[in-house]
Amino acid sequence: MNNQQRNELCHCGSGKKYKNCCMRKDEAQAQLSKQTYDVRRVIGPKTTPYMFWKNWSAACGRNEYGLVHDMLLQGGEIAEKFSTTEDFYMNINEIGIPYEARWNLDKIKIDGSKCYMLCHRTDSEDKNADVICSMMSLQQTEVGLRVANIQRAICKPTADFALSFDIFGLHSAEGDYIKKVQSGWKRPDLTDEATRFVAPAE
């Protein structure tokens, strides 16, 4: 256990203060050493997208970022950029993963072996607060789903705002429908003319 103080010279001999040198790496190693679950026992080939989300959220809630790192797709954008668990943990905020209890899973889209999860959070109960959205892109592999990439967007809660995959450039029928409604289109079967009762001719 490293008990070095923040302002002491770093134990690695760099001549820098510990807080400006190895402190974050040591904290990452200490945190990652607490991992108790093997990803193969948590995520399997038959794990559904929804259960993947539940297990992902649970691992984040336990701060088991080693396990979260194991849920990444090898060769995917995040795993390529942060190849070690230490790098991943130390850059967790930069990656922008949905990992807090305030995140809600809103929509799941499956396209062949690919899966997309759309989730959001609000930072306050203020209805005018920005809506923070994330889209997780997953790939089905022989060992189960793995996260290839995560994109984040900050949206203004305007009157016509609707949470959809189109925010991230992923086409969806829902997005097409939302655009039609926002342009003034109404379902014919819901208009007054369509639902008006007409008495039968005598």
Side-chain angles (χ1 to χ4, degrees), residues 39 42-44 46-59 67-68 70-73 105 108 115 117 136-140 143-148:
V39 68
V42 176
I43 305 295
K46 295 184 179 180
T47 302
T48 64
Y50 178 72
M51 287 310 301
F52 182 97
W53 168 264
K54 296 290 285 184
N55 290 323
W56 168 278
S57 299
L67 176 57
V68 175
D70 289 343
M71 293 183 188
L72 301 179
L73 177 69
L105 176 63
I108 296 174
C115 174
M117 296 183 183
M136 297 172 63
S137 303
L138 299 91
Q139 176 73 43
Q140 183 66 256
V143 293
L145 287 165
R146 294 292 185 266
V147 178

Short mmCIF file of all heavy atoms in Angstrom, two decimals, residues 39 42-44 46-59 67-68 70-73 105 108 115 117 136-140 143-148:
data_model
loop_
_atom_site.label_atom_id
_atom_site.label_comp_id
_atom_site.label_asym_id
_atom_site.label_seq_id
_atom_site.Cartn_x
_atom_site.Cartn_y
_atom_site.Cartn_z
N VAL A 39 -15.30 -11.08 -16.56
CA VAL A 39 -16.27 -10.66 -17.57
C VAL A 39 -16.96 -11.85 -18.22
O VAL A 39 -18.14 -11.76 -18.60
CB VAL A 39 -15.58 -9.76 -18.64
CG1 VAL A 39 -14.59 -10.57 -19.48
CG2 VAL A 39 -16.62 -9.09 -19.53
N VAL A 42 -19.99 -12.67 -16.40
CA VAL A 42 -20.98 -11.59 -16.34
C VAL A 42 -21.69 -11.43 -17.67
O VAL A 42 -22.91 -11.23 -17.72
CB VAL A 42 -20.29 -10.26 -15.93
CG1 VAL A 42 -21.29 -9.11 -15.95
CG2 VAL A 42 -19.66 -10.39 -14.55
N ILE A 43 -20.91 -11.49 -18.77
CA ILE A 43 -21.45 -11.31 -20.12
C ILE A 43 -21.13 -12.55 -20.94
O ILE A 43 -19.97 -12.92 -21.09
CB ILE A 43 -20.84 -10.08 -20.82
CG1 ILE A 43 -21.02 -8.82 -19.96
CG2 ILE A 43 -21.45 -9.91 -22.20
CD1 ILE A 43 -22.45 -8.39 -19.78
N GLY A 44 -22.17 -13.19 -21.47
CA GLY A 44 -21.98 -14.37 -22.30
C GLY A 44 -22.62 -14.20 -23.67
O GLY A 44 -23.27 -13.18 -23.94
N LYS A 46 -25.27 -15.32 -24.86
CA LYS A 46 -26.73 -15.21 -24.84
C LYS A 46 -27.22 -14.02 -24.02
O LYS A 46 -28.43 -13.86 -23.84
CB LYS A 46 -27.34 -16.51 -24.31
CG LYS A 46 -27.09 -17.71 -25.20
CD LYS A 46 -27.79 -18.94 -24.68
CE LYS A 46 -27.55 -20.14 -25.59
NZ LYS A 46 -28.24 -21.37 -25.10
N THR A 47 -26.30 -13.20 -23.54
CA THR A 47 -26.70 -12.04 -22.76
C THR A 47 -27.41 -11.02 -23.66
O THR A 47 -26.87 -10.62 -24.69
CB THR A 47 -25.48 -11.36 -22.10
OG1 THR A 47 -24.81 -12.32 -21.28
CG2 THR A 47 -25.90 -10.17 -21.25
N THR A 48 -28.62 -10.63 -23.28
CA THR A 48 -29.38 -9.69 -24.09
C THR A 48 -28.81 -8.28 -23.92
O THR A 48 -28.13 -7.98 -22.94
CB THR A 48 -30.86 -9.67 -23.65
OG1 THR A 48 -30.93 -9.20 -22.30
CG2 THR A 48 -31.47 -11.06 -23.75
N PRO A 49 -29.10 -7.39 -24.88
CA PRO A 49 -28.63 -6.01 -24.73
C PRO A 49 -29.07 -5.35 -23.43
O PRO A 49 -28.29 -4.65 -22.79
CB PRO A 49 -29.23 -5.30 -25.96
CG PRO A 49 -29.34 -6.38 -26.99
CD PRO A 49 -29.72 -7.60 -26.20
N TYR A 50 -30.31 -5.59 -23.04
CA TYR A 50 -30.79 -4.98 -21.80
C TYR A 50 -30.01 -5.48 -20.59
O TYR A 50 -29.61 -4.71 -19.71
CB TYR A 50 -32.29 -5.25 -21.60
CG TYR A 50 -32.81 -4.67 -20.30
CD1 TYR A 50 -32.97 -3.29 -20.15
CD2 TYR A 50 -33.12 -5.50 -19.22
CE1 TYR A 50 -33.44 -2.75 -18.97
CE2 TYR A 50 -33.59 -4.97 -18.03
CZ TYR A 50 -33.75 -3.59 -17.90
OH TYR A 50 -34.21 -3.07 -16.71
N MET A 51 -29.75 -6.79 -20.54
CA MET A 51 -28.97 -7.33 -19.41
C MET A 51 -27.53 -6.87 -19.47
O MET A 51 -26.89 -6.70 -18.43
CB MET A 51 -29.05 -8.86 -19.40
CG MET A 51 -30.41 -9.39 -18.95
SD MET A 51 -30.99 -8.66 -17.39
CE MET A 51 -29.66 -9.12 -16.26
N PHE A 52 -27.01 -6.66 -20.68
CA PHE A 52 -25.67 -6.08 -20.79
C PHE A 52 -25.65 -4.73 -20.12
O PHE A 52 -24.74 -4.42 -19.36
CB PHE A 52 -25.26 -5.95 -22.26
CG PHE A 52 -23.87 -5.40 -22.45
CD1 PHE A 52 -22.79 -6.25 -22.67
CD2 PHE A 52 -23.61 -4.03 -22.37
CE1 PHE A 52 -21.50 -5.75 -22.82
CE2 PHE A 52 -22.33 -3.51 -22.52
CZ PHE A 52 -21.28 -4.38 -22.75
N TRP A 53 -26.66 -3.90 -20.41
CA TRP A 53 -26.74 -2.57 -19.80
C TRP A 53 -26.80 -2.67 -18.27
O TRP A 53 -26.13 -1.92 -17.56
CB TRP A 53 -27.94 -1.82 -20.33
CG TRP A 53 -28.26 -0.58 -19.56
CD1 TRP A 53 -29.17 -0.44 -18.54
CD2 TRP A 53 -27.63 0.71 -19.70
NE1 TRP A 53 -29.15 0.84 -18.05
CE2 TRP A 53 -28.22 1.57 -18.75
CE3 TRP A 53 -26.65 1.20 -20.55
CZ2 TRP A 53 -27.85 2.91 -18.62
CZ3 TRP A 53 -26.28 2.53 -20.42
CH2 TRP A 53 -26.87 3.36 -19.47
N LYS A 54 -27.60 -3.59 -17.77
CA LYS A 54 -27.73 -3.76 -16.31
C LYS A 54 -26.40 -4.16 -15.70
O LYS A 54 -26.01 -3.63 -14.65
CB LYS A 54 -28.79 -4.83 -16.01
CG LYS A 54 -30.19 -4.48 -16.44
CD LYS A 54 -30.79 -3.35 -15.62
CE LYS A 54 -31.20 -3.83 -14.24
NZ LYS A 54 -31.88 -2.75 -13.48
N ASN A 55 -25.68 -5.07 -16.34
CA ASN A 55 -24.39 -5.51 -15.82
C ASN A 55 -23.33 -4.41 -15.94
O ASN A 55 -22.48 -4.25 -15.08
CB ASN A 55 -23.93 -6.78 -16.53
CG ASN A 55 -24.76 -7.98 -16.16
OD1 ASN A 55 -25.18 -8.13 -15.02
ND2 ASN A 55 -25.04 -8.84 -17.12
N TRP A 56 -23.38 -3.67 -17.05
CA TRP A 56 -22.47 -2.54 -17.25
C TRP A 56 -22.69 -1.51 -16.14
O TRP A 56 -21.75 -1.04 -15.50
CB TRP A 56 -22.74 -1.93 -18.63
CG TRP A 56 -22.10 -0.60 -18.92
CD1 TRP A 56 -22.57 0.62 -18.53
CD2 TRP A 56 -20.90 -0.36 -19.66
NE1 TRP A 56 -21.75 1.61 -19.01
CE2 TRP A 56 -20.72 1.03 -19.70
CE3 TRP A 56 -20.00 -1.20 -20.31
CZ2 TRP A 56 -19.65 1.62 -20.35
CZ3 TRP A 56 -18.92 -0.60 -20.98
CH2 TRP A 56 -18.75 0.79 -20.99
N SER A 57 -23.95 -1.15 -15.90
CA SER A 57 -24.28 -0.16 -14.88
C SER A 57 -23.87 -0.64 -13.49
O SER A 57 -23.36 0.14 -12.68
CB SER A 57 -25.78 0.14 -14.90
OG SER A 57 -26.17 0.67 -16.15
N ALA A 58 -24.08 -1.93 -13.22
CA ALA A 58 -23.71 -2.48 -11.91
C ALA A 58 -22.20 -2.43 -11.71
O ALA A 58 -21.72 -2.08 -10.62
CB ALA A 58 -24.22 -3.91 -11.80
N ALA A 59 -21.44 -2.77 -12.75
CA ALA A 59 -19.98 -2.73 -12.65
C ALA A 59 -19.49 -1.30 -12.41
O ALA A 59 -18.60 -1.06 -11.59
CB ALA A 59 -19.34 -3.30 -13.91
N LEU A 67 -13.38 -4.41 -14.91
CA LEU A 67 -14.44 -5.22 -15.53
C LEU A 67 -15.08 -4.45 -16.68
O LEU A 67 -15.35 -5.02 -17.75
CB LEU A 67 -15.49 -5.58 -14.48
CG LEU A 67 -16.72 -6.35 -14.98
CD1 LEU A 67 -16.33 -7.64 -15.66
CD2 LEU A 67 -17.67 -6.62 -13.81
N VAL A 68 -15.31 -3.15 -16.48
CA VAL A 68 -15.88 -2.32 -17.55
C VAL A 68 -14.94 -2.33 -18.76
O VAL A 68 -15.38 -2.45 -19.90
CB VAL A 68 -16.12 -0.88 -17.05
CG1 VAL A 68 -16.60 0.01 -18.20
CG2 VAL A 68 -17.14 -0.86 -15.92
N ASP A 70 -12.97 -4.67 -19.62
CA ASP A 70 -13.08 -5.99 -20.25
C ASP A 70 -14.34 -6.11 -21.10
O ASP A 70 -14.44 -7.03 -21.93
CB ASP A 70 -13.09 -7.09 -19.18
CG ASP A 70 -11.74 -7.26 -18.51
OD1 ASP A 70 -10.73 -6.77 -19.07
OD2 ASP A 70 -11.69 -7.85 -17.42
N MET A 71 -15.30 -5.21 -20.92
CA MET A 71 -16.53 -5.23 -21.72
C MET A 71 -16.34 -4.47 -23.03
O MET A 71 -17.27 -4.38 -23.83
CB MET A 71 -17.69 -4.62 -20.93
CG MET A 71 -18.13 -5.42 -19.72
SD MET A 71 -19.57 -4.65 -18.95
CE MET A 71 -19.70 -5.62 -17.45
N LEU A 72 -15.16 -3.91 -23.25
CA LEU A 72 -14.89 -3.19 -24.49
C LEU A 72 -14.51 -4.17 -25.60
O LEU A 72 -13.96 -5.24 -25.36
CB LEU A 72 -13.75 -2.20 -24.29
CG LEU A 72 -13.93 -1.12 -23.22
CD1 LEU A 72 -12.68 -0.25 -23.15
CD2 LEU A 72 -15.17 -0.28 -23.49
N LEU A 73 -14.82 -3.78 -26.83
CA LEU A 73 -14.48 -4.58 -28.00
C LEU A 73 -13.01 -4.40 -28.33
O LEU A 73 -12.54 -3.27 -28.55
CB LEU A 73 -15.32 -4.13 -29.20
CG LEU A 73 -15.03 -4.82 -30.53
CD1 LEU A 73 -15.46 -6.28 -30.49
CD2 LEU A 73 -15.74 -4.09 -31.68
N LEU A 105 -31.39 4.27 -19.56
CA LEU A 105 -31.40 3.65 -20.89
C LEU A 105 -32.76 3.92 -21.52
O LEU A 105 -33.80 3.56 -20.96
CB LEU A 105 -31.15 2.15 -20.78
CG LEU A 105 -31.23 1.37 -22.09
CD1 LEU A 105 -30.14 1.82 -23.06
CD2 LEU A 105 -31.10 -0.13 -21.82
N ILE A 108 -33.03 0.93 -27.51
CA ILE A 108 -32.08 -0.06 -28.03
C ILE A 108 -32.41 -0.30 -29.49
O ILE A 108 -33.58 -0.50 -29.85
CB ILE A 108 -32.17 -1.39 -27.24
CG1 ILE A 108 -31.76 -1.17 -25.78
CG2 ILE A 108 -31.27 -2.45 -27.89
CD1 ILE A 108 -31.95 -2.40 -24.91
N CYS A 115 -25.37 -3.40 -32.20
CA CYS A 115 -26.41 -2.97 -31.28
C CYS A 115 -26.08 -1.55 -30.83
O CYS A 115 -24.90 -1.21 -30.63
CB CYS A 115 -26.48 -3.92 -30.09
SG CYS A 115 -27.62 -3.40 -28.80
N MET A 117 -27.25 1.57 -28.07
CA MET A 117 -28.01 1.92 -26.88
C MET A 117 -27.99 3.43 -26.71
O MET A 117 -26.93 4.04 -26.70
CB MET A 117 -27.42 1.26 -25.63
CG MET A 117 -27.48 -0.24 -25.63
SD MET A 117 -26.84 -0.91 -24.09
CE MET A 117 -26.95 -2.66 -24.43
N MET A 136 -24.11 4.26 -27.06
CA MET A 136 -23.12 3.20 -27.01
C MET A 136 -23.29 2.32 -28.24
O MET A 136 -24.39 1.87 -28.54
CB MET A 136 -23.29 2.36 -25.74
CG MET A 136 -23.09 3.14 -24.45
SD MET A 136 -23.54 2.18 -22.96
CE MET A 136 -22.36 0.83 -23.04
N SER A 137 -22.19 2.11 -28.97
CA SER A 137 -22.21 1.21 -30.13
C SER A 137 -21.56 -0.10 -29.72
O SER A 137 -20.43 -0.12 -29.25
CB SER A 137 -21.42 1.84 -31.29
OG SER A 137 -21.95 3.10 -31.63
N LEU A 138 -22.29 -1.19 -29.86
CA LEU A 138 -21.82 -2.50 -29.43
C LEU A 138 -21.74 -3.45 -30.62
O LEU A 138 -22.46 -3.30 -31.61
CB LEU A 138 -22.73 -3.09 -28.36
CG LEU A 138 -22.85 -2.32 -27.05
CD1 LEU A 138 -24.01 -1.33 -27.11
CD2 LEU A 138 -23.05 -3.26 -25.87
N GLN A 139 -20.89 -4.44 -30.47
CA GLN A 139 -20.72 -5.46 -31.50
C GLN A 139 -20.93 -6.83 -30.86
O GLN A 139 -20.37 -7.12 -29.79
CB GLN A 139 -19.31 -5.38 -32.10
CG GLN A 139 -18.99 -6.46 -33.11
CD GLN A 139 -19.72 -6.25 -34.43
OE1 GLN A 139 -19.79 -5.14 -34.94
NE2 GLN A 139 -20.25 -7.33 -34.99
N GLN A 140 -21.73 -7.66 -31.51
CA GLN A 140 -21.92 -9.02 -31.01
C GLN A 140 -20.73 -9.86 -31.42
O GLN A 140 -20.37 -9.90 -32.60
CB GLN A 140 -23.21 -9.62 -31.56
CG GLN A 140 -23.54 -11.00 -31.05
CD GLN A 140 -23.84 -11.03 -29.56
OE1 GLN A 140 -23.01 -11.47 -28.77
NE2 GLN A 140 -25.01 -10.57 -29.19
N VAL A 143 -18.16 -14.24 -27.81
CA VAL A 143 -18.21 -14.28 -26.35
C VAL A 143 -19.26 -13.34 -25.79
O VAL A 143 -19.39 -13.19 -24.58
CB VAL A 143 -16.82 -13.95 -25.73
CG1 VAL A 143 -15.82 -15.03 -26.04
CG2 VAL A 143 -16.33 -12.59 -26.20
N GLY A 144 -20.03 -12.69 -26.67
CA GLY A 144 -21.08 -11.79 -26.21
C GLY A 144 -20.87 -10.37 -26.70
O GLY A 144 -19.93 -10.08 -27.44
N LEU A 145 -21.75 -9.50 -26.30
CA LEU A 145 -21.68 -8.10 -26.71
C LEU A 145 -20.46 -7.41 -26.12
O LEU A 145 -20.07 -7.67 -24.98
CB LEU A 145 -22.95 -7.36 -26.26
CG LEU A 145 -24.23 -7.67 -27.04
CD1 LEU A 145 -25.45 -7.17 -26.29
CD2 LEU A 145 -24.18 -7.05 -28.43
N ARG A 146 -19.86 -6.52 -26.92
CA ARG A 146 -18.73 -5.72 -26.45
C ARG A 146 -18.90 -4.29 -26.98
O ARG A 146 -19.38 -4.09 -28.09
CB ARG A 146 -17.39 -6.31 -26.93
CG ARG A 146 -17.05 -7.67 -26.33
CD ARG A 146 -16.78 -7.56 -24.85
NE ARG A 146 -16.32 -8.84 -24.27
CZ ARG A 146 -17.12 -9.73 -23.69
NH1 ARG A 146 -18.44 -9.49 -23.64
NH2 ARG A 146 -16.62 -10.83 -23.15
N VAL A 147 -18.49 -3.32 -26.20
CA VAL A 147 -18.66 -1.90 -26.55
C VAL A 147 -17.53 -1.45 -27.46
O VAL A 147 -16.36 -1.49 -27.08
CB VAL A 147 -18.69 -1.02 -25.29
CG1 VAL A 147 -18.81 0.46 -25.67
CG2 VAL A 147 -19.85 -1.44 -24.38
N ALA A 148 -17.90 -1.00 -28.66
CA ALA A 148 -16.90 -0.52 -29.62
C ALA A 148 -16.61 0.96 -29.44
O ALA A 148 -15.47 1.40 -29.48
CB ALA A 148 -17.37 -0.78 -31.05
#
